[in-house]
Amino acid sequence: MDKITEFLPTILGVLIFLIIWFVLRRILSSLSDKINNSEVYKEDVLNVLEEIRDELKKLNQNNISK
């Protein structure tokens, strides 16, 4: 019984360290996902804007030629 009580603070310290590590890892992972999603969203918006620009150019050329 005395041996267990000697190692109890060490075991609790390691458990607390592991819990903090897992929480920080989850937070950083979610931040990374949000950053990646915003980059994908930015690319999608740019593609849509380019398509709109191309359509407007076509319409403008059609109006000029008439």
Side-chain angles (χ1 to χ4, degrees):
M1 189 68 176
D2 290 335
K3 294 280 186 178
I4 294 174
T5 57
E6 287 179 20
F7 293 116
L8 193 60
T10 305
I11 293 171
L12 289 176
V14 170
L15 285 176
I16 290 173
F17 175 76
L18 287 175
I19 290 170
I20 291 172
W21 184 73
F22 279 118
V23 169
L24 285 176
R25 195 170 140 234
R26 295 277 299 195
I27 291 170
L28 292 176
S29 175
S30 68
L31 285 175
S32 175
D33 290 344
K34 286 184 187 256
I35 291 169
N36 289 336
N37 288 340
S38 70
E39 289 175 3
V40 169
Y41 177 75
K42 179 181 173 184
E43 290 175 9
D44 289 344
V45 168
L46 286 175
N47 288 337
V48 169
L49 288 174
E50 287 174 359
E51 290 176 12
I52 292 171
R53 182 195 63 200
D54 293 341
E55 289 294 322
L56 287 173
K57 282 182 181 179
K58 286 180 187 176
L59 287 173
N60 193 22
Q61 287 177 353
N62 289 342
N63 286 337
I64 289 175
S65 65
K66 287 184 178 182

